[in-house]
Amino acid sequence: MSKRLLSRFLGSVIEKGVLEARFADGTTVRFGKPAQGYPELAVIFRDGKVPRDILLDPRIGAAEAYMDQRLDLEGGGIMELVQLLRFNAVWERGGRLRPPSLGRRLRNRASFAIGSINDRIGARRNVAHHYDIGNDLYRLMLEPEHMQYSCAYWPEGVETLAEAQHAKLAHIAAKLALADGQRVLDIGCGWGGMAIFLAKHFDVEVHGITLSEEQLALARSRAREAGVDDRVIFELVDYRDLAKRGERFDRIVSVGMFEHVGRPQFETFFRACANLLAGDGVMLVHTIGRFGGPGTTDAFTSKYIFPGGYIPALSETLAASETSRLIHSDIETLRLHYAKTLREWYARCEANRAAIVDLYDERFYRMWTFYLAGATAAFEWGGMGNYQIQYVRDRRALPITRDYMAAAEKRLLGGD
């Protein structure tokens, strides 16, 4: 029964490209037809329970079967399989729109209530789950100069990941409109790339905060190596606790952290930021976001990758910030930049497969590449993108046109 139902589902989805399904009982079924640019590969179900597991929960069922080598591939890898499925169901496909069913609405509400609670204890535990697995993995996957684990920026002429991450840092710094002597807060500072970049290019003091002990240690070491540790401080502290100290910062930047806040904490996050930001201050939030309305985090991501995380819709982000009287003074949508970034990370993981398996095991490698492949598809053809949202508390804090951004970015990239 499960084999028949899965075959019916695959037949309804795959029109272009070819997927050959080889079941454990020896049956082989082909779906789709060859089309230029679409993958052609075979999926092998090693036991009869795999189709059932996929039907019960397609994403976690397929992920765990792949991780446990009960599902294998020929003619391509997990990137090609996910790409084939997503190519045939793109977010922009159009068609008649219908309201979600009552069952789906109820499931979404339950998921919001259960999965997104992220208090201080939970936040630290969730961050440790993803970032304290060891810096060696991230060294293998990320570019070494900035170690940016967030969407790069790919303007015309930029070809390498290192160039794109440098361009991203310059792009964000330009939006901060920095001046000498200012204090900058970096919420979710990672391995210190943003803080170090700002300290190297501006006469500012930067305070970076994280909840990852692994990141903290490496960030401090990297600041010393860059010769900016006299103007950069890294601290293991929750943004909510920092806000209670009564400190104020001229600029706040947060890159790739808001996705970890959790939906019930959105207003808390922005209220803390408003209290941390000087009256004439500027804040820049760089975050993954949904092109559509609010959604839910799938079971695979919640269990294995980002427990407690939630990708917000732009509407949710703006609604939460408005309660703290933060003015969204500029919004930019990065539509395909993260897809290019993720493909670079995936390629680096493929090239370093033996090293990653040696660090962890084959199951971890399969889990990690499944995550990267799924994320890539979501940004290439699904409903995910990135937003850079600039905030001010005072509408007169910045020039009334955007020219200052382009001028500052040109200087940082050596255009003068």
Side-chain angles (χ1 to χ4, degrees):
M1 175 66 76
S2 57
K3 182 182 72 173
R4 186 164 61 251
L5 290 173
L6 182 60
S7 296
R8 186 181 302 170
F9 168 74
L10 292 173
S12 68
V13 170
I14 300 173
E15 297 179 3
K16 296 180 179 181
V18 175
L19 180 67
E20 182 177 283
R22 302 175 191 169
F23 293 94
D25 63 2
T27 304
T28 297
V29 185
R30 287 174 63 88
F31 307 98
K33 57 184 178 181
Q36 185 174 2
Y38 285 75
E40 297 183 26
L41 69 159
V43 59
I44 304 163
F45 303 111
R46 298 293 185 192
D47 65 65
K49 294 181 180 179
V50 176
R52 180 206 63 185
D53 293 343
I54 294 174
L55 289 170
L56 290 173
D57 189 319
R59 187 150 162 82
I60 200 168
E64 291 185 339
Y66 179 68
M67 289 158 58
D68 294 334
Q69 301 182 56
R70 299 166 56 224
L71 183 156
D72 275 319
L73 301 164
E74 286 186 7
I78 192 64
M79 178 69 83
E80 287 71 30
L81 175 61
V82 174
Q83 179 179 307
L84 176 61
L85 294 169
R86 180 57 78 175
F87 271 13
N88 281 278
V90 300
W91 191 82
E92 302 98 325
R93 64 187 178 276
R96 183 175 176 82
L97 301 178
R98 297 179 176 84
S101 66
L102 174 61
R104 181 174 180 180
R105 292 199 300 270
L106 292 174
R107 287 195 301 272
N108 286 352
R109 290 175 186 173
S111 178
F112 284 150
I114 296 171
S116 298
I117 297 171
N118 215 20
D119 58 18
R120 289 167 177 79
I121 296 173
R124 183 165 294 190
R125 180 179 62 247
N126 292 336
V127 166
H129 175 95
H130 192 84
Y131 295 101
D132 285 350
I133 58 177
N135 292 324
D136 289 344
L137 170 67
Y138 295 103
R139 284 194 178 99
L140 293 170
M141 186 176 80
L142 308 177
E143 46 77 38
E145 181 181 357
H146 302 297
M147 282 197 73
Q148 289 289 287
Y149 186 33
S150 56
C151 174
Y153 186 63
W154 300 85
E156 186 176 353
V158 167
E159 299 292 338
T160 70
L161 180 61
E163 292 172 338
Q165 291 295 9
H166 185 86
K168 186 266 297 292
L169 295 174
H171 196 58
I172 291 174
K175 294 182 179 185
L176 289 172
L178 291 156
D180 290 349
Q182 290 181 332
R183 294 186 71 210
V184 183
L185 173 64
D186 183 0
I187 301 178
C189 63
W191 294 277
M194 173 63 73
I196 293 168
F197 180 90
L198 295 180
K200 288 174 68 174
H201 290 85
F202 299 90
D203 183 15
V204 295
E205 295 182 1
V206 189
H207 189 145
I209 64 172
T210 179
L211 293 179
S212 167
E213 294 184 2
E214 289 279 337
Q215 287 185 333
L216 178 69
L218 186 53
R220 287 173 172 169
S221 174
R222 284 164 49 81
R224 286 192 298 270
E225 292 173 2
V228 296
D229 54 318
D230 59 329
R231 290 185 293 117
V232 177
I233 297 172
F234 295 112
E235 183 181 4
L236 192 75
V237 64
D238 190 285
Y239 67 89
R240 289 161 284 203
D241 295 325
L242 183 67
K244 290 180 179 179
R245 298 181 190 172
E247 294 186 61
R248 287 293 181 97
F249 295 86
D250 302 293
R251 299 291 186 265
I252 297 177
V253 62
S254 183
V255 180
M257 180 270 182
F258 189 61
E259 303 93 309
H260 299 284
V261 166
R263 189 171 179 264
Q265 303 295 326
F266 285 176
E267 291 188 11
T268 299
F269 174 82
F270 284 112
R271 185 166 57 250
C273 289
N275 288 332
L276 286 161
L277 189 63
D280 60 351
V282 179
M283 179 169 76
L284 192 287
V285 174
H286 171 116
T287 181
I288 299 171
R290 300 173 188 268
F291 289 152
T296 59
T297 303
D298 66 272
F300 167 75
T301 302
S302 293
K303 181 176 180 179
Y304 289 102
I305 308 300
F306 295 117
Y310 171 72
I311 305 302
L314 182 61
S315 58
E316 294 176 290
T317 305
L318 298 184
S321 61
E322 287 165 355
T323 64
S324 295
R325 295 193 179 184
L326 287 167
I327 302 169
H328 38 276
S329 47
D330 188 84
I331 301 174
E332 181 178 6
T333 304
L334 305 180
R335 290 165 286 116
L336 287 166
H337 293 260
Y338 213 174
K340 289 173 66 68
T341 307
L342 283 156
R343 282 196 173 272
E344 289 285 333
W345 292 346
Y346 183 87
R348 288 165 181 254
C349 285
E350 275 197 315
N352 290 293
R353 177 172 188 155
I356 295 172
V357 171
D358 189 54
L359 279 171
Y360 304 98
D361 55 28
E362 176 67 20
R363 190 174 194 268
F364 178 91
Y365 174 82
R366 285 178 170 237
M367 176 200 74
W368 198 254
T369 50
F370 186 95
Y371 144 60
L372 293 175
T376 302
F379 286 92
E380 284 188 338
W381 300 104
M384 296 294 177
N386 283 81
Y387 297 108
Q388 289 187 352
I389 310 172
Q390 182 197 63
Y391 289 100
V392 294
R393 298 183 69 194
D394 184 338
R395 72 190 72 189
R396 296 172 178 82
L398 291 167
I400 62 174
T401 68
R402 304 177 83 250
D403 298 352
Y404 69 93
M405 297 183 190
E409 191 168 357
K410 186 177 179 182
R411 287 194 302 272
L412 287 166
L413 295 175
D416 283 344

